[in-house]
Amino acid sequence: MLRELQKKAVRRVVGMMSGTSVDGVDAAVVEIGGSAAAPQVKLLAFENRPYPPAVREQIFRLFQPQSATVDRVGYMNFLLGELYASAARSVIEKAGLRPGDIDLIGSHGQTIWHQPEICERDGYPIRYTVQIGEGAVIAGRTGIPTVSDFRVADMAMGGQGAPLVPFSEYLLYRREDETILLQNIGGIGNMTVMPAKAKPEEVYAFDTGPGNMIIDAVTAAVTGGKQTFDEGGRLGGSGTVNQRLLAWLQQEPYYARPLPKTTGRERFGTQYTAKILDWRKTHPISDADLVATVTDLTAWSIVDAYERYVLGRYRAGELIVGGGGSYNSTLLGDLTRRFAPHGVKVRTQEELGWSSDAKEAVAFALLADCCVRERTNTLPSVTGASEAAIMGKISLPARGNGACS
């Protein structure tokens, strides 16, 4: 099955991503052709399948070690496999295709814990991560070979297991004449630095800090759960940034940590938002001002990262924004204002003819394609690994070449 796939000049692949915001499953159908160094990718269909509210609530319980019991993790691992399989079938149908027309599925899964810092309490330098959404279930329900659980191979080689999207960005976005910054704003913000004429080892990337995570959480808190995110940035746009709160939030030690670095809900999740809401009890400000301030925090963290980790080596011409944050006009305005003194233009994926929504799903289609073709699919300069790995675990459907005997 895989040998036949490896020989194909053009492969149809479904890529799926579920991020730290826990909004749902992004699924894309793409055709991949061209060479290994310069793949040609065509987006055939994309859709987002929101998690059912009850499932989303259960996932959030798994972010807390005290409630992430093995039975709950095991159950959700298989349930998400079912939901991802359903999302794959749906987007395949949207593309006007059948499952038999698809060669491969690449599914990132849902991260419930990410520990990139070394833990040595038992004598070994352990980094670890947990993504759930069983690949065997996806393969079994769709009849399509499925690649999942990507991050662990990089961490086994001493890397942080993140960020992974820069590998696909290097293949698809690099330019000969200009250094660009690729900024994804999902739950967490991450920046890829793509120098002009970059070689793989010259690309580097890191998590800038919170993306939409704190904005979403604060919006949900001040609206009593009626809004789970600040749609279009309207609530934040009606407020004024509170400089005292912003200055306090800027003291978070993560922003000054050396590279490589990644972060997640463990640092900027519910506990962090609770501290902000506690601050407000003794420093009363309006709902709109609170959302405006945490929105500008995200913009500040991105510009601060450029100043700390990029400007001394490269001067960028553009910041290309993707992810859900690209639809927050207030956040884009804050970024434009803060980057203006550096002469960096802020543009969105859509302005370049790509899709902000589909970008990460497309990336995992590419990562899966490399995996089954036995090609490395990491950038050690980005993750800090000792060498490039072939990431992904392959689950095969029941249809194969007969029983093993």
Side-chain angles (χ1 to χ4, degrees):
M1 186 182 296
L2 294 183
R3 287 193 293 271
E4 293 173 1
L5 192 158
Q6 291 171 348
K7 295 175 184 177
K8 284 193 171 185
V10 178
R11 285 82 58 201
R12 288 188 180 132
V13 185
V14 173
M16 294 192 291
M17 174 67 186
S18 178
T20 50
S21 293
V22 200
D23 295 327
V25 184
D26 291 336
V29 181
V30 299
E31 284 186 347
I32 303 175
S35 66
Q40 301 296 313
V41 177
K42 181 180 180 181
L43 179 64
L44 301 182
F46 171 81
E47 67 178 8
N48 173 271
R49 294 285 294 267
Y51 284 134
V55 173
R56 191 170 189 262
E57 182 180 337
Q58 291 178 71
I59 293 171
F60 270 89
R61 291 193 198 122
L62 302 184
F63 298 146
Q64 306 297 326
Q66 62 271 24
S67 57
T69 56
V70 290
D71 58 324
R72 288 173 176 169
V73 173
Y75 171 80
M76 189 56 62
N77 181 42
F78 274 69
L79 175 60
L80 289 182
E82 299 284 358
L83 294 179
Y84 295 159
S86 177
R89 291 195 300 267
S90 178
V91 77
I92 291 168
E93 182 178 352
K94 185 174 181 179
L97 301 170
R98 297 171 301 173
D101 299 320
I102 303 298
D103 298 299
L104 186 66
I105 293 173
S107 177
H108 170 269
Q110 178 65 59
T111 300
I112 60 171
W113 195 264
H114 186 64
Q115 177 67 39
E117 292 86 13
I118 292 176
C119 174
E120 292 189 282
R121 63 173 177 261
D122 292 304
Y124 290 89
I126 301 298
R127 294 181 171 93
Y128 57 99
T129 189
V130 182
Q131 282 77 43
I132 57 175
E134 182 54 54
V137 174
I138 302 170
R141 300 295 177 268
T142 62
I144 302 168
T146 298
V147 184
S148 60
D149 207 9
F150 289 86
R151 298 185 186 276
V152 292
D154 180 78
M155 298 186 92
M157 301 308 298
Q160 298 218 341
L164 302 186
V165 173
F167 176 82
S168 63
E169 290 173 330
Y170 174 74
L171 295 178
L172 299 176
Y173 290 85
R174 66 185 184 275
R175 299 179 184 176
E176 290 295 306
D177 58 351
E178 184 179 35
T179 294
I180 62 171
L181 311 173
L182 293 142
Q183 180 72 38
N184 184 68
I185 306 178
I188 293 296
N190 29 70
M191 177 184 290
T192 301
V193 182
M194 193 76 63
K197 300 181 181 179
K199 298 176 182 178
E201 63 271 17
E202 294 174 327
V203 180
Y204 62 104
F206 51 92
D207 287 351
T208 52
N212 302 315
M213 187 176 291
I214 297 175
I215 303 171
D216 292 351
V218 168
T219 299
V222 302
T223 63
K226 294 179 181 178
Q227 295 177 230
T228 57
F229 67 102
D230 185 14
E231 185 173 0
R234 285 191 284 272
L235 181 55
S238 67
T240 301
V241 174
N242 183 291
Q243 296 300 326
R244 186 175 181 181
L245 173 57
L246 181 63
W248 180 65
L249 294 172
Q250 289 169 343
Q251 302 308 306
E252 162 59 46
Y254 177 79
Y255 300 122
R257 278 187 50 198
L259 302 183
K261 63 176 186 174
T262 57
T263 190
R265 192 171 290 279
E266 300 74 33
R267 184 182 298 269
F268 291 111
T270 54
Q271 304 95 320
Y272 193 88
T273 302
K275 291 194 298 184
I276 296 173
L277 297 175
D278 284 343
W279 183 94
R280 187 193 190 191
K281 292 176 182 177
T282 55
H283 305 81
I285 61 174
S286 72
D287 292 348
D289 288 357
L290 186 62
V291 177
T293 303
V294 296
T295 300
D296 194 40
L297 173 70
T298 291
W300 169 84
S301 68
I302 294 168
V303 177
D304 177 69
Y306 175 63
E307 294 170 346
R308 286 181 192 270
Y309 306 114
V310 184
L311 196 53
R313 300 169 61 182
Y314 305 104
R315 185 169 292 276
E318 287 185 354
L319 177 87
I320 302 170
V321 181
S326 67
Y327 301 114
N328 184 323
S329 58
T330 300
L331 178 54
L332 289 179
D334 290 343
L335 283 168
T336 299
R337 169 177 52 84
R338 286 186 173 276
F339 268 109
H342 297 298
V344 178
K345 297 178 182 177
V346 177
R347 304 180 68 188
T348 64
Q349 290 284 328
E350 281 70 17
E351 291 178 64
L352 300 179
W354 295 85
S355 167
S356 293
D357 285 333
K359 181 185 174 188
E360 290 191 308
V362 170
F364 281 93
L366 274 168
L367 291 169
D369 185 64
C370 288
C371 174
V372 298
R373 293 164 73 80
E374 301 180 44
R375 293 176 176 148
T376 57
N377 52 7
T378 61
L379 294 175
S381 60
V382 168
T383 66
S386 59
E387 60 183 276
I390 299 176
M391 298 186 301
K393 297 176 181 177
I394 301 171
S395 299
L396 300 179
R399 60 179 177 83
N401 297 320
C404 181
S405 59

